[in-house]
Every structure is written in C-alpha cells, then in structure tokens.
Amino acid sequence: MRKVILITGVSSGFGKETSELLSRAGHKVYGTTRKETGYQGSVSILQMDLMDPESIKKTVADVIEKEGRIDILINNAGMHTGGPVETSPLDHLKLQMDTNFLGTVILTREVLPYMRKQAGGRIINFSSIGGLMGLPFQGYYSAAKFAIEGFSE
C-alpha cells in the first residue's frame, strides 16, 4: 500500500538515502531541507526550518492539503557541534537543542492530530549512539540525542 511519508533532513546522508529508497518503493515522499538544494529526483522537496515553528506548521499543512494524510513521519534532521563544554559557546547548546530536540518535538506535535484523526500512523525518530552514551567533546550533541531518546520512549 502506498504511504505518504514526511522525512526531515534529506539534503544528505541517511535522510537522502532513506527518502530515495522509500520513493523508489512506490511511496509518496516529502523531504525537508533548510535551504534550496536543486534536487532533481522523485522526492518532493519542501523547505522547512526546524527552529521555526511557523515553517513547521506550513510544511505539515502543505502535505495535508496535497495528500489528505501523513502516514509516516521520520524525524531525521539534525546538526552537530563539538568541543569541550566549558569553552563551547552556549549558543551551540541552544542550536543543538533547538534543532535536534525541540524541532523534533514541535514537528511531532504538529503531525499527531492528523494521525489521530486518520486513526493511525507511525513516527520514527532517528537518534545516535550519542543518545545512548556520552561521547567525548560532544556533550551538547549527546544531551540533545539523550533528549530524543527520552522523548521517544
């Protein structure tokens, strides 16, 4: 059965490969990126910034308007800064938490009412080994990933 899938962070890495694989399997895939990428594939690209709740709201509304549902949400997007916590700027902590954790929470909260209304759906949250154990010089990153693990549980 063809699913409508919304996946974040498809400009590279796991997001790009996953979105293309799902699209080739026959699903309708909407992938998000922060910036224009010039992508020319079968995934429908939407610009969305996880640090902007209005951008999130608009993206979800666009998919619902076009498809009438979202069957699967894959929270994949994320970013990383590293360094010792005692000298890394607090702005890096805010960036990590806003992008990796709060963006996931806000997007999930935006999609849940539609999944509830359609009586089903699946949410997949990508994390990292850094969410299961602290990594040297990656305290902020690990904290954000631990938060995703707790939220997902």
Side-chain angles (χ1 to χ4, degrees):
M1 184 175 141
R2 178 182 170 268
K3 301 285 186 185
V4 176
I5 301 169
L6 175 60
I7 178 170
T8 63
V10 301
S11 60
S12 65
F14 289 128
K16 182 176 183 180
E17 296 301 319
T18 301
S19 66
E20 290 174 356
L21 176 78
L22 292 168
S23 180
R24 283 193 305 272
H27 301 291
K28 180 60 183 175
V29 180
Y30 289 87
T32 71
T33 61
R34 271 184 302 138
K35 301 174 193 158
E36 178 61 42
T37 63
Y39 176 80
Q40 297 290 323
S42 60
V43 175
S44 297
I45 303 297
L46 302 170
Q47 283 187 261
M48 184 185 79
D49 185 342
L50 284 171
M51 294 184 7
D52 178 1
E54 289 305 313
S55 173
I56 292 170
K57 186 179 291 274
K58 180 185 180 317
T59 297
V60 171
D62 287 349
V63 174
I64 293 297
E65 182 180 318
K66 290 175 186 161
E67 303 295 333
R69 69 187 202 277
I70 296 173
D71 299 306
I72 301 171
L73 168 63
I74 302 175
N75 285 304
N76 164 70
M79 57 80 58
H80 174 271
T81 62
V85 295
E86 66 270 7
T87 59
S88 294
L90 287 179
D91 286 354
H92 288 195
L93 173 58
K94 182 165 176 33
L95 185 61
Q96 287 287 281
M97 295 306 285
D98 285 353
T99 303
N100 294 349
F101 178 61
L102 279 176
T104 295
V105 170
I106 294 167
L107 179 55
T108 300
R109 288 173 48 117
E110 194 64 34
V111 169
L112 277 172
Y114 296 104
M115 288 184 170
R116 189 170 292 107
K117 184 177 178 184
Q118 67 199 32
R122 184 169 304 256
I123 299 170
I124 300 167
N125 294 329
F126 281 25
S127 181
S128 164
I129 190 69
L132 302 174
M133 58 186 276
L135 300 173
F137 298 100
Q138 298 180 48
Y140 297 162
Y141 176 78
S142 288
K145 294 301 183 173
F146 267 89
I148 289 171
E149 291 291 331
F151 175 67
S152 299
E153 290 294 319

